[in-house]
Amino acid sequence: MELNPLIIPILGISCGVLAVIGGVFVKPWIKYKQEQLKVQTQMTAEKAAQYGAHTERLEKRVRVLERIITDKGADLAGQIEDLRDEPETKELN
């Protein structure tokens, strides 16, 4: 079985073309995907912080409600009115 003498230059040129394509197209694409992942990670961390703050506010409200319900000696209507008079906090969507 004889090899065509043109095979070696063709393979050499093909390797060079692949290296150029990798440097021009693949490397910037990988860098773009890495930056995209960083941005997505930051957005996820911000959302997690927002959810944590929202959960903390809800837990605080539940503690107040539990205290009102379990406190048998207090005037329930007065406490509810006192809660209505407190300034409302801005809620997240």
Side-chain angles (χ1 to χ4, degrees):
M1 174 164 151
E2 290 185 33
L3 291 175
N4 192 346
L6 292 176
I7 255 282
I8 293 176
I10 290 174
L11 287 175
I13 291 171
S14 298
C15 289
V17 168
L18 286 175
V20 169
I21 289 174
V24 172
F25 296 109
V26 176
K27 189 175 179 180
W29 180 77
I30 290 173
K31 186 175 180 180
Y32 168 75
K33 286 296 185 179
Q34 287 174 341
E35 292 297 320
Q36 190 178 32
L37 185 60
K38 285 180 187 177
V39 169
Q40 186 177 10
T41 302
Q42 289 173 350
M43 289 174 53
T44 303
E46 289 174 9
K47 278 188 176 184
Q50 290 174 353
Y51 289 143
H54 186 69
T55 301
E56 184 178 334
R57 284 193 308 272
L58 290 175
E59 287 175 353
K60 188 176 181 180
R61 292 177 72 181
V62 167
R63 280 192 296 260
V64 169
L65 292 173
E66 287 174 345
R67 192 176 64 234
I68 291 171
I69 290 171
T70 57
D71 188 10
K72 297 178 182 171
D75 181 28
L76 184 60
Q79 287 184 356
I80 291 173
E81 289 303 319
D82 289 343
L83 289 175
R84 286 186 182 154
D85 293 338
E86 288 183 7
E88 295 182 15
T89 58
K90 187 172 99 175
E91 304 226 1
L92 299 175
N93 293 332

